[in-house]
């Protein structure tokens, strides 16, 4: 039985991942600050489902709390640390940049320090497809350079990758970064498109469709994200023996460090996404077409060849199936 630390355990991915490890027989220590970025009741409802499990222990704490995090690592001998805690959201980073510095930078340093001081065997951390920023070569590959972020959120996620590499180099801390692509599904975040669209359509409100609908996203179902994380967590990265400083590969290193994309490898047109939702709701959307928002990108598309090669897994849930499962959960949870 392993002891796993999952930060952001009250969050969308954190809840599902905690359940996956618990179902596998592991012990999970979950931490979360349960902030009010979105509906706290939804976070508490997720936690309520986890707290009944005898191998789950929850601690309400912010990863930016240096003393609290130091004490946690001193008291708990973790086998694996999975950092999902972060201030999320591209557009919100324009409104409240300091929240991203506190959680995504200060908080991540606390995670890194705890891991290196207590000899954690593997740190897995959430990055984001947003790091691809101004890149237009599709599909996005972990072997591409990603030095042109378009939002502070993206910049902090890129910074996390660089920070982790530094610790992998200096302290031989095995680190794996995971770039998630537009995660959706039951118990999802209310600030994400599927949740916002579903709520608005059912309430006869208009939905905001950015870039006049000319957008593509590599929508990735939550179960696929969780399975990818679970498999990667058991694969401790090793130094790449053929890594070269004169031709540096961003996805690997001379240190124990690795980056993967976890995406559906199948970009979907935004208007088709909305059409699929309309079919499941049996109701048409009122569309408010708007220009592309600052920080947004027109398209995302994940190359998952490395994930397939190393852990034998590729996300494959069709968008139609994923939306159907989300709508079923939404109607049951909100009784609509």
């Amino acid at each position: 039985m392993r002891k796993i630390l999952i930060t952001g355990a009250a969050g969308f991915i954190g809840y599902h991942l905690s359940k996956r490890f618990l179902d596998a027989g592991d012990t999970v220590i979950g931490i979360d600050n349960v902030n009010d970025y979105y509906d706290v009741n939804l976070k508490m409802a997720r936690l309520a489902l986890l707290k009944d499990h005898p191998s789950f222990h929850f601690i309400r704490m912010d990863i930016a709390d240096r003393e609290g995090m130091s004490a946690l690592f001193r008291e708990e001998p973790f086998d694996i640390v999975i950092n999902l805690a972060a201030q999320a959201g591209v557009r919100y980073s324009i409104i409240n940049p300091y929240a991203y510095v506190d959680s995504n930078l200060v908080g991540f340093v606390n995670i890194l320090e705890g891991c290196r001081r207590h000899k954690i065997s593997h740190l897995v951390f959430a990055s984001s497809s947003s790091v691809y920023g101004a890149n237009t070569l599709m599909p996005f590959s972990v072997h591409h350079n990603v030095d042109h972020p378009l939002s502070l959120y993206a910049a902090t996620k890129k910074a996390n990758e660089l920070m982790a590499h530094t610790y992998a180099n200096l302290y031989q801390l095995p680190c794996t970064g995971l770039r998630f692509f537009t995660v959706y599904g039951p118990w999802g975040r209310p600030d994400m498109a599927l949740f916002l669209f579903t709520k608005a359509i059912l309430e006869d409100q208009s939905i905001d469709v950015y870039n006049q609908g000319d957008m593509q996203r590599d929508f990735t179902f939550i179960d696929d994200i969780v399975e990818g994380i679970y498999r990667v967590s058991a694969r401790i990265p090793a130094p790449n023996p053929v890594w070269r400083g004169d031709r540096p590969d961003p996805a690997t290193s001379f240190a124990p460090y690795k980056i993967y994309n976890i995406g559906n490898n199948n970009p979907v047109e935004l208007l088709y996404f909305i059409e699929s939702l309309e079919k499941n709701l049996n109701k048409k959307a009122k569309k408010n077409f708007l220009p592309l928002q600052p920080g947004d990108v027109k398209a995302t598309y994940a190359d998952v060849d490395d994930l397939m090669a190393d852990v034998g897994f590729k996300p494959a849930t069709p968008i139609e199936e994923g939306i159907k499962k989300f709508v079923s959960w939404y109607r049951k949870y909100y009784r609509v």
Side-chain angles (χ1 to χ4, degrees):
M1 181 184 292
R2 299 172 299 177
K3 182 176 285 189
I4 316 295
L5 172 63
I6 298 179
T7 72
F12 174 31
I13 301 175
Y15 156 70
H16 285 279
L17 186 64
S18 295
K19 188 173 183 302
R20 177 70 174 85
F21 275 102
L22 291 168
D23 289 345
D26 296 307
T27 294
V28 174
I29 306 298
I31 68 171
D32 200 296
N33 65 0
V34 195
N35 67 25
D36 61 359
Y37 171 64
Y38 63 79
D39 185 12
V40 170
N41 292 324
L42 182 60
K43 297 180 180 182
M44 297 307 294
R46 294 177 187 135
L47 284 174
L49 295 176
L50 294 173
K51 284 181 175 178
D52 288 338
H53 199 293
S55 296
F56 180 78
H57 178 57
F58 177 69
I59 300 170
R60 185 163 184 169
M61 182 165 55
D62 195 318
I63 61 170
D65 177 354
R66 186 190 301 182
E67 291 184 2
M69 291 300 294
S70 294
L72 176 66
F73 276 95
R74 284 196 306 270
E75 295 163 7
E76 299 283 358
F78 300 116
D79 296 296
I80 300 171
V81 172
I82 302 177
N83 183 54
L84 302 174
Q87 179 57 60
V90 169
R91 294 173 194 134
Y92 187 62
S93 66
I94 296 171
I95 300 168
N96 187 5
Y98 292 104
Y100 293 77
V101 173
D102 293 341
S103 183
N104 302 9
L105 299 180
V106 175
F108 194 58
V109 168
N110 291 338
I111 294 290
L112 289 168
E113 278 293 291
C115 288
R116 73 102 166 176
R117 290 181 184 278
H118 297 276
K119 309 300 181 185
I120 300 302
S121 65
H122 193 191
L123 168 62
V124 180
F125 65 95
S127 185
S128 167
S129 62
S130 67
V131 301
Y132 288 102
N135 288 26
T136 56
L137 180 62
M138 301 280 182
F140 291 149
S141 169
V142 291
H143 303 287
H144 294 166
N145 178 281
V146 288
D147 283 341
H148 297 86
L150 299 179
S151 68
L152 182 64
Y153 170 68
T156 62
K157 287 299 185 178
K158 168 66 174 177
N160 286 171
E161 296 180 3
L162 298 174
M163 294 158 73
H165 182 269
T166 302
Y167 274 67
N169 169 47
L170 291 175
Y171 309 112
Q172 296 302 297
L173 170 64
C175 294
T176 302
L178 303 176
R179 295 173 180 170
F180 301 144
F181 282 69
T182 317
V183 190
Y184 74 101
W187 296 98
R189 277 175 30 208
D191 63 320
M192 297 292 284
L194 182 56
F195 209 113
L196 290 169
F197 289 174
T198 299
K199 184 175 187 294
I201 293 169
L202 289 175
E203 294 177 357
D204 291 315
Q205 302 295 317
S206 62
I207 64 173
D208 290 337
V209 182
Y210 294 106
N211 204 42
Q212 314 303 321
D214 183 19
M215 297 182 77
Q216 290 184 327
R217 286 291 181 271
D218 204 347
F219 293 102
T220 311
F221 192 62
I222 182 61
D223 291 359
D224 290 332
I225 291 286
V226 165
E227 186 62 24
I229 302 170
Y230 184 80
R231 293 196 188 197
V232 165
S233 70
R235 183 183 176 84
I236 298 176
N240 179 358
V242 298
W243 193 92
R244 291 173 50 177
D246 59 344
R247 295 174 60 185
D249 173 12
T252 66
S253 177
F254 55 87
Y257 172 86
K258 182 74 176 175
I259 296 289
Y260 295 102
N261 285 333
I262 305 186
N264 211 45
N265 190 232
N266 183 31
V268 173
E269 297 284 348
L270 179 57
L271 293 179
Y272 179 77
F273 176 78
I274 294 170
E275 180 183 320
S276 297
L277 178 57
E278 290 172 329
K279 287 179 181 177
N280 277 279
L281 293 174
N282 196 28
K283 193 172 184 179
K284 298 295 287 185
K286 300 174 184 177
K287 303 180 188 70
N288 179 31
F289 290 99
L290 296 168
L292 189 68
Q293 296 295 286
D296 273 357
V297 297
K298 184 178 176 181
T300 63
Y301 179 6
D303 178 331
V304 293
D305 287 353
D306 282 37
L307 186 69
M308 278 280 291
D310 289 354
V311 301
F313 176 72
K314 175 183 177 181
T317 303
I319 192 69
E320 299 83 0
E321 179 184 334
I323 289 178
K324 182 179 179 180
K325 289 181 177 180
F326 172 80
V327 169
S328 176
W329 168 80
Y330 187 96
R331 287 190 178 280
K332 182 178 180 181
Y333 183 76
Y334 289 103
R335 300 177 183 177
V336 292

